[in-house]
Amino acid sequence: MEHKFVNINCDMGEGIGDDAGLMPFISSCSIACGGHAGNTNSMRKTVVLAKGYNVKVGAHPSYPDRENFGRISMAIPDNDLIETIQEQIESLVSVLKREKMELHHIKPHGALYNDIAKDGHLASVFLKALNKYGSRTCLYVPYASLIAEKALRRGFRIRYEAFGDRRYQKDLSLVSRSKEGALILDPKKVLEQVMGITNNNEVRVIEGKTKKIL
């Protein structure tokens, strides 16, 4: 029987307070690095925790918007966005170096994650910010997104990501958190979605049909 490895990733270092309880059950984590949450101290604590459980560490950059937790789209000049993305990632890389760990991946957060999936120009700007990391790390992206398409064309290594606890729209974008039913709160239904993703490469969209995600 063929066994499929599933990389269970969790966003961490965001001040929620449950990192230690979750870390033993995941294989990679994406650590907030100052844009929507996080600081040097929280990054260091989370990196040390991940190291103790042999969990791979990635950067979780976002729009520079701590007030709204990075969940609102921002109109920001291209150069400013590049600068803040690079600063956020480098702040985590400096912590990783002190712990003798490598940066495994980069996963954008919140509104930035959703925006670069659909906005070709913004996706290109984001990739420009990641130029120095393209050959040494991978990028977590949603399936059937512009960021995935552009990243592949530019030689980035990507990993497609799917959410066990989020509802999808028919274009495979995530249902906005502002809408009722966007989050799957029933553990049994979360497991059902995870199994669909793992075994069949598909999710059930908000309209009720299933769609392939790979």
Side-chain angles (χ1 to χ4, degrees), residues 31 44 48 55 66 70 81 111 125 135-136 148 163 172 181 188:
I31 299 179
R44 183 189 62 79
V48 169
V55 170
R66 297 174 77 92
L81 181 59
V125 172
S135 62
R136 49 190 265 218
F163 292 78
L172 293 181
K188 291 183 179 179

Side-chain angles (χ1 to χ4, degrees), residues 1 11 31 34-36 46 53 55 62 80 97 106 119 122 131 149 164 168 170 178 182:
M1 179 184 294
D11 302 339
I31 299 179
H36 64 292
T46 312
Y53 286 99
V55 170
S62 78
D80 290 349
K97 285 180 178 178
I106 297 168
D119 186 320
L122 196 60
N131 276 340
E149 176 186 322
Y168 282 83
K170 61 183 178 181
S178 64

Side-chain angles (χ1 to χ4, degrees), residues 158-169:
I158 68 170
R159 296 290 183 271
Y160 291 118
E161 179 180 51
F163 292 78
D165 62 348
R166 294 291 302 275
R167 293 294 184 193
Y168 282 83
Q169 300 186 96

